[in-house]
Amino acid sequence: MTQASRLEKTAVSPKAWTMLGIGVAAQAAGTVFVSTPAFLIPLLHSEHGLSLTQAGTLAAAPTFGMVLTLVAWGAMADRFGEKWVISIGLALTAIAALAATTTDNYALLGIAFLLGGMAAASTNAASGRVVVGWFPKDRRGLAMGIRQMSQPLGVTIASLTIPTLAANVGIGSAVGLSVALNGVLALICAVALVNPPRPAARPTDIPVETINPYRSNWFLWRIHVVSALLVFPQFTLSTFGLVWLISEQGWDAAPAGLLIGISQFVGALGRIVVGIWSDRAGSRVGPLRLVAVSASAVMLAMAAADAAPWGVPALILLLATTASVADNGLAFTSVAEAAGPKWQGKALGAQNTGQFIAASAVGPVVGALIGAVGYPLAFAIVAAFPAAAIPLVPSRDRDISV
C-alpha cells in the first residue's frame, strides 16, 4: 500500500456508524452489570458483615461466568449472526439482574451474578464481529478502538452510580440499574441492530474462510499469547495504581482516585489513536509490537518512579496506563481479520477468555510480589511480561476477512 493510498480512506456508510454505536452501548450495558458487585464491596463489607474475601468472591462471579461462555457465544454468533446473540444475551443479563434484586441471600446473589456474567459475555464475543463486518479494512482500527471504549465507559457509569444508589436506596436498587440498561438495549438491538453483510463465497473447492485458522497456522495462537502477556502491566496498574499513589507516593485518596480516573479516560482515547495509526500504517502487528516495547519500557519507568521528584510519578503512571491498554483494539482487530467470517466469533471469544484468565492471576501474583519485594522490583518484574511478548508478535498480518 502506497502512502497516497493509505491517506485515501474508504467511505463508511452511516449505517455502519449506527451499528457501531449500538454495539458500544450494548457492551457498555453488559459491563455495568459485570462491574456492579465490585462497587458494592465497601457496603457489603462495612454494613452487611461480609468479609473482604466473601465480597471479593461475589465481585468475581460475573467475570468467572463470562470465562465459561465467551467461546460458546462466539460460536453462536458465527452460526446465527450477531443481532439475536446480542439481543438474547442482554435480555438474559437483565433477567439475571432482576433475580439479583429479589434476594438477600448472598449465595443466591452470587449465583445470579454468575449467570448474568455468562449472559453478558454475548456482547463481548459478538460486537467485534459487527465492527469487522460493517467497516472496511482501512477503517477497522479506528472502529475497533471506539468499540474498545465500551468497557471503560461501562465501568465509569457503574462507578458513578452504583455506590450512591446502594448507599441511599439499597443494593437491590443499585443492581436494578442493570435491569433497566440491559433490558432497554436488548430491545434496541432486537429492533435496530442489523447483521453485517457476509462476503461472497470464494470460488474454490475448500473456501479459505471455512478452514480452521487454529490448525492452518500459528498466527492466532501467537496473538492470544501476546495479549495475555500484555494483560499483566494493564491490570497491575489498574489494580495497584491507586494504592501505590496513596501508600508509596503519599497522595490523599481523593486526588489519587481522580488521577486514576483521568488515566483510564486517557487510556481509552489512546486505543482510538492507536487504531487510527494501524489503519494508516496498513498493519496491526507492526504497531502491536511497538506497543509491547512501550509497555515494557513504562513498567521499568514505574519501577524507577519512587526516586523521582513529586509530580513525575503521576506523569509516569498516566503514560504507563495509556501504553498498557493500547494493544486491546489492535489485537481484537487482528484476531477478527485472521479468523475469517466463519471463525470470528469463536476466535474473539477465545481472545477474551485468555485475557480474563490472565487478568484473574494478576491480583494474587503481583500482590504477592509487592508484599515480598516491594513496588519498584515488582514493577520491574512485571516489565518482563510485555518484553516476552515482543518476539511472539507475528512478523506479518493475516487477513482472510475480505
XYZ file of all heavy atoms in Angstrom, residues 40 97-98 100-104 165-166 169-179:
134
model
N -19.988 -2.698 45.041
C -20.780 -2.962 46.245
C -19.912 -3.458 47.400
O -20.402 -3.595 48.532
C -21.850 -4.022 45.945
C -22.939 -3.638 44.940
C -23.843 -4.837 44.668
C -23.753 -2.454 45.436
N -30.097 -9.939 36.450
C -30.031 -8.764 37.330
C -31.324 -8.620 38.125
O -31.303 -8.285 39.317
C -29.765 -7.508 36.499
N -32.460 -8.877 37.473
C -33.750 -8.808 38.172
C -33.811 -9.838 39.289
O -34.287 -9.546 40.394
C -34.887 -9.034 37.169
C -36.316 -8.975 37.737
C -36.601 -7.591 38.323
C -37.331 -9.318 36.647
N -31.303 -10.926 40.922
C -30.406 -10.472 41.989
C -31.072 -9.433 42.888
O -30.698 -9.289 44.054
C -29.121 -9.905 41.388
N -32.032 -8.707 42.350
C -32.703 -7.680 43.161
C -33.727 -8.265 44.129
O -34.235 -7.559 44.999
C -33.418 -6.647 42.262
O -34.509 -7.293 41.578
C -32.471 -6.030 41.252
N -34.053 -9.543 43.969
C -35.149 -10.136 44.733
C -34.683 -10.978 45.917
O -35.519 -11.571 46.605
C -36.022 -11.013 43.820
O -35.236 -12.116 43.337
C -36.553 -10.212 42.649
N -33.364 -11.059 46.140
C -32.879 -11.933 47.205
C -31.913 -11.209 48.135
O -31.156 -10.340 47.692
C -32.184 -13.178 46.608
O -31.725 -14.018 47.681
C -30.991 -12.781 45.750
N -31.949 -11.586 49.406
C -30.976 -11.114 50.384
C -29.982 -12.214 50.737
O -29.094 -12.007 51.562
C -31.686 -10.652 51.662
C -32.521 -9.396 51.435
O -32.095 -8.552 50.622
O -33.588 -9.269 52.061
N -26.316 4.736 44.678
C -27.603 4.044 44.745
C -27.630 3.045 45.891
O -28.617 2.948 46.631
C -27.877 3.329 43.417
C -28.272 4.202 42.227
C -28.307 3.371 40.945
C -29.641 4.844 42.470
N -26.546 2.274 46.035
C -26.508 1.263 47.080
C -26.580 1.894 48.466
O -27.274 1.389 49.365
C -25.235 0.426 46.948
N -30.430 3.927 48.543
C -31.699 3.214 48.342
C -31.554 1.700 48.374
O -32.526 0.984 48.153
C -32.374 3.649 47.013
C -32.886 5.062 47.113
C -31.420 3.522 45.834
N -30.327 1.202 48.604
C -30.166 -0.232 48.787
C -29.521 -0.952 47.621
O -29.487 -0.454 46.492
N -29.038 -2.157 47.922
C -28.339 -2.962 46.917
C -29.273 -3.344 45.773
O -28.891 -3.337 44.605
C -27.740 -4.216 47.580
C -26.587 -3.822 48.499
C -27.266 -5.216 46.531
C -25.993 -4.965 49.283
N -30.535 -3.666 46.102
C -31.478 -4.057 45.054
C -31.664 -2.981 44.017
O -31.683 -3.252 42.813
N -31.781 -1.738 44.452
C -31.948 -0.634 43.505
C -30.686 -0.406 42.686
O -30.759 -0.056 41.503
C -32.315 0.646 44.262
O -33.567 0.507 44.903
N -29.521 -0.612 43.308
C -28.266 -0.455 42.573
C -28.171 -1.482 41.449
O -27.818 -1.157 40.312
C -27.083 -0.589 43.529
N -28.505 -2.725 41.755
C -28.496 -3.768 40.722
C -29.613 -3.528 39.713
O -29.491 -3.883 38.527
C -28.624 -5.159 41.364
C -28.610 -6.251 40.295
C -27.486 -5.391 42.358
N -30.708 -2.881 40.161
C -31.814 -2.598 39.253
C -31.423 -1.724 38.081
O -32.080 -1.762 37.025
N -30.356 -0.938 38.226
C -29.869 -0.147 37.089
C -29.519 -1.051 35.914
O -29.792 -0.723 34.758
C -28.658 0.678 37.515
C -27.981 1.501 36.415
C -28.919 2.576 35.886
C -26.689 2.127 36.934
N -28.922 -2.203 36.199
C -28.569 -3.145 35.130
C -29.794 -3.766 34.489
O -29.783 -4.092 33.299
C -27.657 -4.249 35.676
O -26.381 -3.736 35.981
N -30.862 -3.941 35.287
C -32.116 -4.444 34.709
C -32.599 -3.483 33.635
O -32.955 -3.896 32.516
C -33.189 -4.612 35.803
C -34.494 -5.115 35.179
C -32.712 -5.570 36.881
